[in-house]
């Protein structure tokens, strides 16, 4: 096993180490893997096409006196180098990108960043890009690196681009884009409903709460997937729940295995009433997942991408617009 995977196992909870067994030898055996959270995954479902922009920044070319205090620049595309990658599941890969070790990435909780990749040229010969948001879940306070954990879709233009990346390749990134500003103890109890890769912003908030000894917020997560094998970060979530009494996690899958002991099927009114905090001014329910799940649970966002009305299961249970946030 390569140096990368040995250090990966040591630097992260034991829940993660199994995901990297049996990997091929790393191409960067000297890579030093810092301690901290390791994963990030897509934080959105749609992609957009942009044309070429001249304002591409290179962190190693910025003068120290005028350079940024964070690696991300909100109005410029910055190139980040892929340091290492590893297989996490049958359709998910972990990517670690590096930057100046004296800098932090520049993300608040909960925020995402935007990546772009070239996608041919238009009729005028201008470069066309596919643009996709992703939510890092590596510790925002980490210096010199961030991690993305990306599910590879057969028809996904951006995920297919990531699947072809090799250590040393670069990806252009811009951000951050703030979703909801989390502050410690802003609510007594936060409920979460996540589907598939929608676990990403949830984990970002969960880890911010659990690492702060002064934050007494309770968290209840319902996590839905197709099958047990599709549950991303399950062992890490289980480890966090076992070591933090203020975190409760409930899993449900569409296609259970023979020995599955969690929920089965779509998220129902009964699941939500038992697994989430009751509607009140001191609770907030965060929702993130594929469009079908969003429509069923909370209703989708409005056409202008504002939060829109609450519908579905959450409306039936009495939650109002100020008690629900849709990623």
């Amino acid at each position: 096993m390569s140096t990368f995977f040995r250090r990966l196992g040591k630097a992260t909870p034991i829940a993660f180490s199994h995901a990297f067994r049996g990997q091929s030898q790393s191409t960067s055996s000297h890579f030093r893997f810092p301690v901290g959270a390791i994963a990030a995954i897509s934080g959105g479902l749609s992609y957009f096409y942009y044309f070429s922009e001249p304002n591409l920044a290179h962190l190693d070319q910025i003068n120290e006196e005028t350079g940024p205090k964070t690696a991300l620049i909100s109005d410029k595309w910055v190139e980040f180098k892929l340091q290492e990658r590893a297989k996490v599941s049958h359709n998910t890969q972990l990517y670690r990108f590096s930057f100046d070790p004296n800098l932090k990435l520049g993300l608040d909780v909960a925020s995402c960043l935007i990546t772009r990749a070239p996608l041919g040229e238009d009729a005028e010969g201008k470069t066309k890009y596919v643009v996709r948001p992703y939510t890092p879940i590596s510790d925002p306070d980490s210096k010199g690196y961030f991690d993305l954990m990306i599910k590879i879709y057969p028809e996904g233009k951006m995920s297919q681009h990531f699947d072809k990346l090799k250590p040393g390749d670069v990806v252009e990134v811009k951000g951050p884009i703030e979703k909801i500003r989390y502050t410690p103890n802003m609510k007594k109890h936060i409920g979460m409903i996540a589907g598939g890769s929608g676990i990403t912003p949830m984990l970002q908030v969960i880890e911010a709460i659990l690492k702060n000894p002064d934050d007494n917020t309770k968290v209840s997560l319902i996590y839905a997937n197709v099958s047990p094998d599709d549950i991303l970060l399950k062992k890490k979530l289980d480890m966090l729940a076992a070591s933090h009494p203020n975190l409760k996690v409930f899993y449900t899958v569409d296609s259970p295995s023979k020995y599955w002991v969690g929920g089965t099927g779509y998220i129902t009114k009964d699941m939500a009433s038992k697994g989430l905090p009751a509607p009140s001014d001191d609770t907030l329910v965060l929702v993130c997942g594929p469009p079908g799940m969003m429509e069923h649970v909370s209703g989708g966002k409005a056409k202008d991408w504002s939060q829109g009305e609450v519908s579905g299961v959450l409306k039936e249970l009495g939650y109002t617009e100020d008690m629900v946030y849709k990623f």
Side-chain angles (χ1 to χ4, degrees), residues 274-285:
K274 292 178 179 178
L276 298 175
S280 80
D281 293 338
D282 286 325
T283 63
L284 177 67
V285 178

Side-chain angles (χ1 to χ4, degrees), residues 95-114:
Y95 300 86
R96 168 156 290 188
F97 293 91
S98 60
F99 53 87
D100 185 337
N102 297 310
L103 299 178
K104 294 182 181 180
L105 183 58
L107 280 181
D108 293 316
V109 178
S111 300
C112 69
L113 49 75
I114 300 175

Side-chain angles (χ1 to χ4, degrees), residues 48-73:
F48 310 92
Y49 296 100
Y50 281 21
F51 293 111
S52 178
E53 293 188 16
N55 53 343
L56 174 63
H58 302 266
L59 287 180
D60 57 356
Q61 296 176 358
I62 298 175
N63 184 280
E64 291 183 1
E65 294 182 359
T66 61
K69 295 182 179 180
T70 60
L72 285 174
I73 303 176

Side-chain angles (χ1 to χ4, degrees), residues 191-226:
M192 299 178 174
I193 299 177
S197 61
I199 191 61
T200 310
M202 307 305 180
L203 188 58
Q204 194 181 70
V205 175
I206 288 171
E207 293 199 305
I209 293 171
L210 298 185
K211 78 175 186 178
N212 184 353
D214 297 321
D215 195 333
N216 301 312
T217 306
K218 295 181 179 179
V219 181
S220 298
L221 167 66
I222 299 176
Y223 188 18
N225 281 276
V226 175

